[in-house]
């Protein structure tokens, strides 16, 4: 630890708890931050890191526990109160106005003025000084934010925080979309801030970065403290073990299936949103898991395969044939995509279940150019029985269903459209345990019927329980690929966070 | 890095004028009208014709910058004009009548802002409702007919031959120019103007930075209403009567002017200079077409094409700049 242990903490959070309905997001979490300290906040997705930071920033109010800033009680009633208390969140572009210039954004909300007229010279001088101090004098004050790179936007936010007299900066995955060079420059900025006595809470999944930049760490798991200590002297394996915790025993119904011939061949595919080209192969009756961190490039890969994003290079062969790269033609070739954004992309929430199930293949119900509603509703009802969807009937809106049942509606749609290659993007996110088990079982059954399944998940136990092979994405590329039996939770986490297997 | 930037900023400076120059050049080249088109008398006429839409566009620019819209603009103009006529008709001093007209417009705008922020409704819906309400009120007050009012100095505001003659342009035109400069300064040089851009660009960021978004919005719609009230006074001045059925559909001309001038309906973009150029592009087009003896429907088609072309050109320009 570089910070003197004797000095009083700038921030202490004691026994903080928060629940959302029946789910406990945080319970009894302690967190302490020293002056000039870089404190890494670690944990798997859903461990409670962002909830804790939202409480710190004032965006959420804790149900229990208390906080103190420099020894004084701190109970912000909103993000603005948090900022006034000296707590500043650095997100990416969230708090910047894209049309406004660097200067305008930095001054936003506290523009220096004389009876309403802007007085800019002094503020411009201070912004220029701060940018120079941060090692980024090249950022022009009159440049609109939307023309700046992500890295430069972060620097603008940090500049604003510093001019706001922030004492605590929260950086949430600050490097996830930065180039290596920008990452290195950001670390230099962090070191300068430390030297100025600014404390930083650093949230990242990239453990090697954490080792390079942080002094101490705190690991959260399932909304509770899993451990904390000094970074120096703590091996990565120990941190990974804390993040993963004890192996969770869950029900993964096993359905026998056997891989057949190659069904989907992706060769050097680079889509418009992908960072690196990706090559993979999927056989009939095979479940291939795609592990990795959020933002590692898995969703972007699925989108490119499905023709949602333009293809810059590489090929996609389905049962040996190329086909046009757009969703309509991919569906006809037998591809089906289950989006990670169920409410935004997956379902037409206000439309009926029948509409949602049949909308990707209406041809069978066409009669003289009109839709045969009776047969369509009957078919939808049949699918609802097959998938055990709990709902009042095929006419009800999709929005009235629980998350698990909604996911089954989407699954029904993919089967209804007679998809052969199923691209599942986080199919179990945010759904109950029963529905999860049913979806696992369906995945197995589909493989047994000779379909090929790409299963994207950030929750490693389910990949280990369901898949035949698992490929791990790290920063846009596949870092490793092995039979599921050769992986463990720890190995997956290590590959996903370091890129080394 | 510097010289292409300078070039780019030079292009950006000229770009808004290009459309206007094109329209002017086009009609100046037409043998039938070239002799009359750029004459002072014609320019004066076009300027006077532009005043009503221009005043509205000054307020509308502000609203569109915040990502909002005011569909009640034309109805508000009619209502304010009717109130002014009514007051003069009732024997109130003309100045008081004018102020009443402006106040009416401001009140309608204020109400728009209040409903948008309190009911959390989108501006499109609120102002569409207000469009009917204000129009109906105008007809009610005027008992569904024109209100005659005795001639006063108010009617001189839009006179094509102003007295004293050294004014050259109608007082209304001068007022328009002054107010355009004032609004340009407000938008670029005041905290209020900067907040308007911030709200339109990223409302949640603005809120997070401590800007009182709701208060600012109410003020912005009220200011827009103020300009529409003024526009209503000008409408009355031109017509010399209070006509509740006047200016139907004018809100679309006003919005078109702002959009041709680079305003984005998604907010965050727009300028007074651009909007004024938009107003004059449309005025000169109308004027030129009339001089050519082209029928009304041709004008409508051309202006429709101009709107689409101007906005798509603007998008191309932005994409290449990004």
């Amino acid at each position: 630890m570089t910070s003197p242990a004797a000095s009083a903490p700038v921030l202490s959070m004691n026994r903080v708890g928060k629940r959302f309905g029946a789910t406990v997001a945080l319970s009894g979490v302690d967190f302490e931050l020293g002056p000039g300290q870089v404190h890494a906040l670690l944990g798997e997705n859903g461990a409670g890191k962002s909830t804790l930071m939202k409480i710190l920033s004032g965006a959420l109010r804790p149900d229990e526990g208390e906080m103190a800033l420099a020894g004084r009680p701190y109970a912000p009633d909103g993000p603005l109160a948090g900022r006034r208390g000296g707590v500043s969140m650095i997100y990416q572009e969230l708090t910047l106005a894209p049309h406004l210039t660097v200067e305008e954004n930095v001054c936003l909300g506290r523009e220096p003025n004389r009876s309403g007229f802007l007085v800019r010279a002094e503020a411009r001088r201070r912004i220029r000084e701060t940018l120079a101090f941060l090692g980024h004098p090249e950022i022009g004050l009159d440049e609109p934010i939307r023309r700046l790179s992500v890295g430069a936007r972060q620097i603008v936010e940090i500049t604003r925080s510093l001019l706001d007299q922030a004492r605590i900066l929260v950086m949430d995955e600050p490097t996830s979309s930065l180039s290596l060079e920008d990452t290195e420059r950001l670390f230099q900025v962090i070191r300068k801030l430390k030297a100025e006595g600014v404390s930083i809470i650093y949230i990242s999944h990239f453990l090697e970065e954490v080792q390079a930049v942080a002094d101490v760490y705190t690991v959260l798991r399932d909304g509770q403290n899993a451990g904390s200590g000094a970074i120096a002297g703590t091996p990565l394996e120990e941190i990974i073990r804390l993040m993963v915790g004890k192996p969770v025993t869950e029900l993964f119904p096993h359905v026998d299936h056997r891989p057949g011939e190659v069904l989907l061949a992706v060769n050097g595919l680079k889509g418009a949103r992908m960072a690196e080209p990706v090559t993979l192969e999927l056989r009939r009756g095979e479940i291939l898991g795609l592990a990795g961190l959020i933002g590692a490039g898995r969703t972007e890969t699925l989108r490119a395969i499905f023709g949602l994003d333009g293809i810059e290079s590489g090929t996609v062969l389905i049962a040996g044939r190329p086909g046009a790269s757009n969703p309509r033609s991919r569906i006809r070739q037998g591809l089906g995509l289950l989006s990670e954004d169920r409410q935004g992309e997956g379902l037409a929430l206000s439309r009926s279940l029948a509409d949602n199930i049949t909308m990707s293949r209406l041809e069978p119900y066409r009669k003289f150019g009109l839709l045969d509603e009776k047969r369509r509703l009957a078919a939808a009802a049949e699918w609802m029985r097959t998938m055990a969807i709990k709902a009042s009937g095929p006419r009800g809106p999709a929005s009235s269903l629980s998350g698990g049942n909604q996911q089954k509606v989407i699954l029904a749609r993919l089967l209804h459209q007679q998809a052969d290659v199923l691209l599942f993007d986080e199919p179990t996110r945010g759904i109950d345990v029963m529905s999860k088990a049913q979806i696992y079982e369906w995945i197995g059954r589909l493989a047994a019927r000779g379909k090929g399944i790409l299963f994207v998940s950030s929750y490693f136990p389910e990949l280990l329980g369901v898949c035949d092979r698992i490929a791990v994405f790290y920063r846009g590329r596949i870092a490793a690929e092995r039979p599921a039996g050769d992986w463990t939770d720890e190995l997956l986490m290590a590959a996903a966070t370091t890129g080394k297997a | 890095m510097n010289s292409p930037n300078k070039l780019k900023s030079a292009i950006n400076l000229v770009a808004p004028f290009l459309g206007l120059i094109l329209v002017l050049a086009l009609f100046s080249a037409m043998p039938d009208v070239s002799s009359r088109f750029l004459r002072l008398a014609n320019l004066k006429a076009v300027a006077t014709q532009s005043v009503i839409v221009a005043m509205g566009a000054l307020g509308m620019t502000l609203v569109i910058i915040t990502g909002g819209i005011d569909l009640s603009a034309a109805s508000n103009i009619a209502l304010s004009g009717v109130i002014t006529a009514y007051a003069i008709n009732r024997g109130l001093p003309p100045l008081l009548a004018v102020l009443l007209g402006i106040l009416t417009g401001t009140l309608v705008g204020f109400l728009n802002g209040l409903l948008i922020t309190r009911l959390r409704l989108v501006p499109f819906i609120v102002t569409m409702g207000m469009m009917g309400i204000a129009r109906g009120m105008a007809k009610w007050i005027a008992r569904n007919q024109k209100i005659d009012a005795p001639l006063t100095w108010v009617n001189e505001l839009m006179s094509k031959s102003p007295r004293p003659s050294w004014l050259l342009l109608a007082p209304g035109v001068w007022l328009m120019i002054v107010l355009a400069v004032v609004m340009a300064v407000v938008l670029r040089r005041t905290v209020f103007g900067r907040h308007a851009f911030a709200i339109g660009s990223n409302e949640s960021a603005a809120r997070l930075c401590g800007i009182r978004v709701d208060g600012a919005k109410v003020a912005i719609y009220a200011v827009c209403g103020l300009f529409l009230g003024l526009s209503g006074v000008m409408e009355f001045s031109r017509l010399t009567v209070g006509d509740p059925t006047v200016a139907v559909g004018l809100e679309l001309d006003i919005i078109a002017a702002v959009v041709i001038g680079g305003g984005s309906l998604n907010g965050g973009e727009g300028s007074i200079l651009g909007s004024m150029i938009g107003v004059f592009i449309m005025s000169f087009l109308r004027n030129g077409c009339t001089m050519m003896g082209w029928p009304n429907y041709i004008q409508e088609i051309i202006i429709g094409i101009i709107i689409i072309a101007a906005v798509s050109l603007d998008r191309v320009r932005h994409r290449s700049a990004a």
Side-chain angles (χ1 to χ4, degrees):
Chain A
M1 259 206 270
T2 53
S3 60
S7 54
V10 254
L11 163 73
S12 58
M13 303 174 86
N14 294 313
R15 318 290 310 151
V16 172
K18 176 79 190 171
R19 24 173 92 241
F20 298 104
T23 24
V24 179
L26 290 176
S27 98
V29 171
D30 295 324
F31 188 84
E32 205 159 270
L33 182 66
Q37 188 183 61
V38 179
H39 194 142
L41 182 59
L42 308 169
E44 294 193 279
N45 298 319
K49 292 169 302 191
S50 39
T51 308
L52 189 68
M53 288 304 104
K54 277 182 185 157
I55 287 172
L56 173 61
S57 75
L60 287 177
R61 265 175 250 196
D63 296 331
E64 52 196 56
E66 55 243 9
M67 298 185 277
L69 287 177
R72 273 194 295 272
Y74 166 70
D77 57 2
L80 198 56
R83 285 174 67 113
R84 297 228 166 95
V87 178
S88 218
M89 311 285 285
I90 310 292
Y91 299 108
Q92 283 161 15
E93 54 196 301
L94 203 68
T95 62
L96 295 175
H99 300 92
L100 270 51
T101 65
V102 169
E103 175 202 348
E104 289 167 345
N105 267 290
V106 171
C107 295
L108 200 56
R110 34 184 77 56
E111 292 84 357
N113 66 88
R114 214 165 286 138
S115 44
F117 285 88
L118 298 162
V119 185
R120 300 167 60 188
E122 168 68 8
R124 285 177 74 86
R125 191 182 57 74
R126 287 177 55 204
I127 296 168
R128 222 176 265 125
E129 274 174 18
T130 310
L131 285 172
F133 163 72
L134 293 174
H136 285 263
E138 81 285 359
I139 297 176
L141 296 193
D142 300 315
E143 197 71 15
I145 289 297
R146 60 174 167 196
R147 298 221 190 112
L148 296 183
S149 69
V150 181
R153 287 179 200 190
Q154 271 175 0
I155 297 299
V156 173
E157 287 211 57
I158 294 172
T159 303
R160 178 160 75 191
S161 305
L162 288 183
L163 290 173
D164 267 13
Q165 312 292 328
R167 301 310 296 158
I168 300 172
L169 290 189
V170 180
M171 298 189 176
D172 193 351
E173 296 285 355
T175 62
S176 61
S177 41
L178 293 191
S179 65
L180 274 177
E181 195 194 334
D182 278 347
T183 302
E184 196 38 57
R185 292 183 77 183
L186 180 69
F187 287 175
Q188 283 166 17
V189 167
I190 289 176
R191 287 181 197 114
K192 282 184 178 160
L193 293 172
K194 262 180 68 156
E196 291 288 299
V198 176
S199 307
I200 292 165
I201 300 175
Y202 190 91
I203 301 176
S204 176
H205 280 109
F206 300 113
L207 295 182
E208 290 180 331
E209 279 181 6
V210 168
Q211 275 190 317
V213 79
D215 306 312
V216 293
Y217 68 90
T218 291
V219 177
L220 294 184
R221 188 174 65 232
D222 300 331
Q224 294 178 322
N225 287 89
S228 48
I231 288 282
T234 309
L236 274 185
E237 294 70 36
E238 166 69 7
I239 293 178
I240 291 173
R241 197 189 58 76
L242 288 172
M243 287 166 71
V244 173
K246 280 164 276 161
V248 201
T249 43
E250 242 179 300
L251 197 62
F252 296 111
H254 187 77
V255 187
D256 259 339
H257 56 270
R258 204 160 288 283
E261 81 274 12
V262 173
L263 187 54
L264 171 73
V266 175
N267 204 339
L269 178 70
K270 164 109 172 57
R273 300 194 200 185
M274 292 166 66
E276 310 255 353
V278 162
T279 297
L280 55 84
E281 218 175 62
L282 178 70
R283 294 173 176 276
R284 271 196 187 283
E286 185 184 43
I287 308 167
L288 171 59
L290 302 182
L293 303 170
I294 290 171
R298 297 164 301 163
T299 296
E300 291 73 11
T301 306
L302 292 194
R303 288 180 63 92
I305 294 174
F306 197 62
L308 276 168
D309 293 336
I311 290 181
E312 287 171 4
S313 61
T315 56
V316 176
L317 297 180
I318 297 148
R321 280 170 293 130
S325 180
N326 61 66
R328 186 182 170 80
S329 117
R330 288 300 186 216
I331 286 174
R332 289 187 175 168
Q333 280 189 284
L335 250 57
L337 173 72
L338 183 147
S339 163
E340 63 173 339
D341 182 3
R342 182 167 64 234
Q343 316 242 321
E345 272 186 346
L347 289 167
L349 283 175
S350 61
R351 305 297 304 167
S352 71
L353 297 182
D355 283 359
N356 273 289
I357 291 173
T358 59
M359 81 180 136
S360 55
R361 190 168 72 102
L362 289 168
E363 289 80 6
Y365 315 110
R366 221 161 40 190
K367 204 158 84 182
F368 312 119
L370 299 175
L371 282 176
D372 183 345
E373 276 305 285
K374 221 162 146 192
R375 275 204 301 131
R376 201 168 70 97
L377 285 171
E382 183 58 37
W383 274 108
M384 289 169 64
R385 253 192 308 282
T386 315
M387 302 299 301
I389 294 168
K390 274 188 221 123
S392 51
R395 289 174 192 272
S399 57
S400 63
L401 267 56
S402 71
N405 281 301
Q406 286 183 345
Q407 208 67 309
K408 284 192 257 174
V409 169
I410 298 174
L411 203 51
R413 170 162 80 226
L414 301 187
L415 298 181
H416 176 265
Q417 81 192 30
Q418 299 173 323
D420 251 358
V421 183
L422 297 156
L423 314 176
F424 287 157
D425 199 353
E426 303 279 4
T428 63
R429 178 187 286 174
I431 68 178
D432 59 295
V433 184
M434 273 298 290
S435 302
K436 273 188 191 181
Q438 283 171 342
I439 285 180
Y440 298 144
E441 190 173 350
W442 265 105
I443 290 176
R445 266 197 241 167
L446 293 172
R449 283 191 209 162
K451 304 201 185 263
I453 294 135
L454 278 185
F455 185 1
V456 168
S457 173
S458 305
Y459 182 57
F460 301 149
E462 69 179 10
L463 290 180
L464 291 166
V466 171
C467 298
D468 302 312
R469 276 187 302 142
I470 299 175
V472 182
F473 273 68
Y474 177 77
R475 301 211 149 182
R477 64 189 167 83
I478 293 180
E481 193 213 291
R482 289 179 211 159
D486 295 355
W487 287 106
T488 64
D489 215 340
E490 283 83 0
L491 286 171
L492 284 174
M493 182 57 89
T497 49
T498 64
K500 291 173 198 131
Chain B
M1 179 93 186
N2 221 341
S3 68
N5 261 356
K6 265 185 191 150
L7 187 71
K8 206 185 262 175
S9 61
I11 290 173
N12 279 344
L13 203 70
V14 179
F17 290 98
L18 277 181
L20 188 57
I21 293 167
L22 207 71
V23 170
L24 289 178
L26 185 73
F27 285 109
S28 308
M30 295 278 183
D32 297 346
V33 298
S34 57
S35 55
R36 289 172 293 151
F37 189 66
L38 283 179
R39 279 272 184 77
L40 188 63
N42 189 45
L43 295 183
K44 277 162 79 169
V46 170
T48 314
Q49 280 158 15
S50 305
V51 168
I52 291 162
V53 173
M55 295 267 191
L58 291 178
M60 190 70 81
T61 305
L62 188 61
V63 164
I64 284 180
I65 282 172
T66 65
I69 198 142
D70 186 356
L71 295 179
S72 66
S75 300
N76 195 353
I77 289 173
L79 178 62
S80 308
V82 163
I83 294 280
T84 311
Y86 184 83
I88 289 180
N89 195 24
R90 278 305 182 86
L92 258 66
L95 183 65
L96 200 60
V98 166
L99 289 178
L100 256 172
I102 297 173
L103 186 71
T104 306
T106 313
L107 214 65
V108 171
F110 176 76
L111 221 70
N112 277 334
L114 215 58
L115 290 171
I116 288 164
T117 52
R118 289 296 130 85
L119 299 182
R120 302 251 152 250
L121 290 176
V122 290
F124 189 97
I125 300 295
V126 168
T127 59
M128 189 164 70
M130 192 57 75
M131 175 166 93
I133 295 169
R135 180 68 68 179
M137 296 279 286
K139 287 179 181 167
W140 188 10
I141 290 166
R143 289 162 205 264
N144 232 346
Q145 52 199 355
K146 294 183 173 78
I147 298 184
D148 287 314
L151 284 179
T152 59
W153 59 263
V154 176
N155 301 103
E156 301 279 311
L157 288 174
M158 292 285 274
S159 152
K160 275 171 203 157
S161 38
R163 278 174 298 171
S165 60
W166 52 261
L167 265 177
L168 214 61
L169 297 168
V173 177
W174 286 114
L175 189 62
M176 170 187 83
I177 294 169
V178 169
L179 288 176
V181 172
V182 168
M183 275 307 283
V185 171
V186 165
L187 275 179
R188 288 289 160 199
R189 293 286 154 85
T190 67
V191 175
F192 178 71
R194 197 173 271 184
H195 286 184
F197 278 104
I199 290 169
S201 181
N202 185 345
E203 190 169 328
S204 54
R207 196 166 278 125
L208 205 70
C209 290
I211 294 172
R212 281 184 294 271
V213 172
D214 285 357
K217 276 191 181 171
V218 173
I220 282 160
Y221 280 90
V223 168
C224 178
L226 185 147
F227 280 107
L228 294 169
L230 208 52
S231 201
V233 170
M234 296 299 158
E235 186 76 273
F236 161 73
S237 165
R238 184 176 72 94
L239 296 173
T240 68
V241 293
D243 183 354
T245 61
V246 83
V248 171
L250 199 74
E251 70 275 358
L252 297 180
D253 277 9
I254 296 173
I255 293 167
V258 176
V259 166
I260 289 174
S264 160
L265 293 182
N266 293 324
E269 288 174 275
S271 74
I272 294 297
L273 178 64
S275 297
M276 289 301 107
I277 288 167
V279 168
F280 280 98
I281 285 179
M282 296 209 294
S283 297
F284 275 113
L285 263 178
R286 290 233 162 85
N287 175 261
C289 290
T290 312
M291 281 185 149
M292 292 294 293
W294 290 344
N296 209 26
Y297 51 81
I298 296 287
Q299 297 179 25
E300 286 172 355
I301 292 171
I302 291 179
I303 287 177
I305 293 170
I306 293 277
I307 292 172
I308 295 171
V311 176
S312 48
L313 273 177
D314 205 47
R315 288 198 59 169
V316 170
R317 203 159 56 91
H318 268 149
R319 228 177 282 149
S320 62

